[in-house]
């Protein structure tokens, strides 16, 4: 979801009280940052923030961090959060390629991946947020009792992700090829992409991945 470049977006992000400027400084100290020991859930590739903002509203006892690579998109999420002023939600403009630099062992309880970029060419497979390279990164900071929740409308990406997780020793569960007609739809929060694709008649695929026991 790369929007056109928005002049001043980076400056606005830096000025916002709802973004972390030097996230590396908080590695191992996120509990201290939030000022409580509530669980911490991440959304990687948060886009315009609809999903994570609604989650944070519904669950004040969970801390949320939205990670997004592009300022031009993140600025939309920040505009919403500046209206809501949710104390349990912050955003980081960051490329998840470097995610191990900002979270330490066992700091994170859950990761949401919603409609992640499919990177359809084989030679780009390592860039997929569900690739074995990313799963290996997540293990370094996800609790052993934690989970990754993944939604997409892209069947190839879904099949690849399912296979990759199993091969890497993750337990895959709660798999559905039609989330909106499934038992897991209750409480489901639609993302921007989910609304768009399901309005076009596309089924939504969803799975939960649990890390291998250490
Ligand atoms: N999750 C939102 C939704 O479902 O509506 C947005 C989906 S959009 C297809 C994917 C988003 O992930 C884009 O905003 C993109 O910039 C972001 N993204 C992709 N790769 C990323 C990375 N390595 N680090 C952080 N964000 C990333």
């Amino acid at each position: 979801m790369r929007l056109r470049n928005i002049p001043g977006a980076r400056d606005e992000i830096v000025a916002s009280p709802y973004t972390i400027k030097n996230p590396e400084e908080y590695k191992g100290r996120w509990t201290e940052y939030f000022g409580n020991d509530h669980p911490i859930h991440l959304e990687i590739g948060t886009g315009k923030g609809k999903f994570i903002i609604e989650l944070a509203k519904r669950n004040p006892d969970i801390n949320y961090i939205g990670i997004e690579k592009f300022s031009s998109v993140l600025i939309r999420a920040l505009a919403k959060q500046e209206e809501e002023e949710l104390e349990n939600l912050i955003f980081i403009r960051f490329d998840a390629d470097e995610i191990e630099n900002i979270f330490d062992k066992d700091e994170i309880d859950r990761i949401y991946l919603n409609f992640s970029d499919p990177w359809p060419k084989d030679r780009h497979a390592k860039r997929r947020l569900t690739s074995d390279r990313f799963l290996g990164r997540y293990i370094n900071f996800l609790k052993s009792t934690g989970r990754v929740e993944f939604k997409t409308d892209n069947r190839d990406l879904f099949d690849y992700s399912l296979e990759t997780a199993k091969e890497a020793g993750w337990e895959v569960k709660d798999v559905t090829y039609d989330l909106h007609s499934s038992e897991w739809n209750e409480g489901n929060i639609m993302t921007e992409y989910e609304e768009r694709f399901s309005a076009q008649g596309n089924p939504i695929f969803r799975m939960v991945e649990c890390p291998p026991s250490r």
Side-chain angles (χ1 to χ4, degrees):
M1 186 190 338
R2 188 168 193 175
L3 300 183
R4 67 189 165 76
N5 188 33
I6 298 178
R10 274 204 183 214
D11 294 343
E12 256 185 68
I13 285 167
V14 170
S16 171
Y18 296 107
T19 52
I20 304 291
K21 286 46 158 180
N22 302 307
E24 294 88 346
E25 289 175 12
Y26 292 95
K27 181 172 177 170
R29 297 176 43 227
W30 287 102
T31 293
E32 200 183 311
Y33 171 81
F34 282 105
N36 58 52
D37 59 3
H38 297 168
I40 303 177
H41 294 187
L42 306 180
E43 185 187 16
I44 306 176
T46 205
K48 297 181 194 168
K50 175 179 182 291
F51 174 83
I52 201 166
I53 287 172
E54 183 55 34
L55 263 184
K57 268 200 239 179
R58 289 188 195 179
N59 303 293
D61 292 340
I62 296 175
N63 296 319
Y64 291 94
I65 304 179
I67 298 179
E68 170 54 52
K69 184 159 66 165
F70 290 117
S71 311
S72 53
V73 189
L74 185 57
I75 201 168
R76 310 296 177 101
L78 284 176
K80 290 180 202 145
Q81 166 64 333
E82 276 158 23
E83 281 174 21
E84 301 285 350
E85 301 183 330
L86 298 164
E87 288 181 3
N88 58 333
L89 171 63
I90 48 115
F91 291 95
I92 305 176
R93 190 188 61 75
F94 200 77
D95 188 332
D97 261 350
E98 309 281 330
I99 198 158
E100 289 159 294
N101 294 342
I102 54 179
F103 300 112
D104 214 347
K105 191 169 182 304
D106 292 337
E107 274 201 300
I108 300 302
D109 294 80
R110 189 173 298 183
I111 301 170
Y112 292 100
L113 302 175
N114 292 319
F115 299 82
S116 308
D117 295 337
W119 294 105
K121 291 184 180 151
D122 285 347
R123 67 190 157 90
H124 292 147
K126 295 272 177 219
R127 298 183 191 177
R128 297 173 192 151
L129 294 180
T130 51
S131 67
D132 56 350
R133 192 169 66 162
F134 273 95
L135 292 179
R137 290 175 174 145
Y138 303 153
I139 283 177
N140 290 326
F141 56 82
L142 188 62
K143 285 188 182 153
S144 57
T145 51
R147 49 158 63 187
V148 175
E149 292 196 12
F150 175 52
K151 290 197 278 190
T152 182
D153 72 322
N154 185 309
R155 181 64 191 257
D156 288 343
L157 178 64
F158 192 71
D159 290 345
Y160 161 88
S161 305
L162 199 69
E163 227 20 68
T164 302
K166 284 184 186 163
E167 277 170 17
W170 290 57
E171 182 198 352
V172 177
K173 59 181 196 181
D174 302 351
V175 175
T176 173
Y177 293 84
D178 187 358
L179 172 62
H180 296 171
S181 316
S182 79
E183 63 188 284
W184 296 289
N185 195 43
E186 199 182 319
N188 178 50
I189 297 171
M190 297 244 260
T191 76
E192 273 100 0
Y193 271 62
E194 187 171 352
E195 279 186 343
R196 190 188 306 168
F197 292 133
S198 60
Q200 290 169 7
N202 298 4
I204 304 302
F205 314 123
R206 182 257 192 189
M207 72 170 99
V208 172
E209 303 169 50
C210 303
S213 41
R214 295 179 204 143

